[in-house]
Amino acid sequence: ATVYRMLKVLEQHGYVSKSPATKHYRLGATVLRLARTREITTPVSDTLQGIVDDLTEKVGETSHASLIAGHQIATVAACQGQRSNRVHVEYGGRIELHATATGLACLAYADESLLDRALAAPMAQFTQTTAASRNALSQLVSETRSRGYSIADRSFDADVVGIGAPFFDAGAKAMGAIAVATPANRMDAQNTLRTARLVMAAALEATRGLGGEPPADFLQCRSRLTDQTNPI
């Protein structure tokens, strides 16, 4: 009864609408107005879209950017790869925290409550390499923090490798992440380092564009990676 009363109030104000045929509720037109208002006042999606477009131009693979919203992460910008064999990423898609490059990058640098929730939640085993236990996920998050970027090696899709890096708010906490998703047969060791360098550079560009501040250890990781990949 309480949920029904809440739905009726939301319906009155246009936040949800009810299908006459199925009686099911769906998002209403007011949500679109709120989304447009937010993007006008804080143009996050447009900023990130330009960055992922440029990243795909450099790496030739699918790039995408996602934002943390509460205890979930949603994709707000994406650019599909330039080759016929490419990874497809959908706008608004739900990100699996424990099994994706985006999720691992956010867990390593976001508020600790996000990591605590991920460690306590059930972890679906998508592939043989999915981190599906607290210890396995904690180790991946620690490795991500130590190098500044995440690697999801066929952990969500058996044919896909993802590399991600966080972008930060004014408090030097991750507000989201940028990632590249590549067919596994094209991601060798050299390409991993090159892609990671470009992803970290894109994440720093997003941080600056959104008025954020990267933490010192992230900048140190990026500096080490840049020195390591200069000869490439």
Side-chain angles (χ1 to χ4, degrees), residues 17-26:
S17 61
K18 187 176 183 180
S19 169
T22 65
K23 308 300 183 183
H24 292 167
Y25 287 92
R26 58 194 175 194

Side-chain angles (χ1 to χ4, degrees), residues 9-210:
V9 173
L10 292 171
E11 185 179 13
Q12 290 171 6
H13 294 279
Y15 291 98
V16 299
S17 61
K18 187 176 183 180
S19 169
T22 65
K23 308 300 183 183
H24 292 167
Y25 287 92
R26 58 194 175 194
L27 293 177
T30 300
V31 175
L32 296 175
R33 178 175 59 80
L34 288 176
R36 292 192 183 98
T37 300
R38 186 187 190 282
E39 194 59 27
I40 290 171
T41 57
T42 310
V44 174
S45 295
D46 285 348
T47 299
L48 294 175
Q49 186 62 56
I51 293 171
V52 298
D53 287 347
D54 183 61
L55 182 57
T56 288
E57 183 69 24
K58 292 175 180 175
V59 300
E61 306 288 356
T62 297
S63 304
H64 56 103
S66 302
L67 287 175
I68 300 172
H71 292 109
Q72 296 183 335
I73 303 175
T75 301
V76 297
C79 183
Q80 306 308 321
Q82 299 169 345
R83 305 186 187 187
S84 57
N85 176 26
R86 63 194 179 199
V87 180
H88 179 70
V89 175
E90 293 184 358
Y91 289 91
R94 181 174 177 271
I95 301 297
E96 295 290 344
L97 293 174
H98 69 292
T100 63
T102 300
L104 293 173
C106 289
L107 290 176
Y109 285 92
D111 187 87
E112 290 184 2
S113 63
L114 186 67
L115 177 57
D116 291 341
R117 186 177 181 89
L119 290 172
M123 303 178 199
Q125 184 87 46
F126 296 104
T127 72
Q128 292 182 348
T129 61
T130 304
S133 70
R134 289 177 59 93
N135 288 340
L137 180 57
S138 294
Q139 181 177 344
L140 284 179
V141 170
S142 178
E143 291 172 356
T144 297
R145 185 83 190 211
S146 69
R147 65 174 171 246
Y149 63 91
S150 60
I151 300 176
D153 188 358
R154 294 165 286 194
S155 55
F156 182 67
D157 186 308
D159 297 320
V160 175
V161 173
I163 297 176
F167 52 90
F168 302 93
D169 59 21
K173 293 290 187 180
M175 60 184 296
I178 291 177
V180 167
T182 306
N185 62 357
R186 291 206 293 266
M187 189 57 78
D188 57 19
Q190 186 180 52
N191 200 24
T192 295
L193 292 177
R194 175 179 177 273
T195 301
R197 176 172 57 83
L198 292 171
V199 169
M200 291 185 79
L204 283 175
E205 183 181 353
T207 298
R208 291 192 295 267
L210 298 174

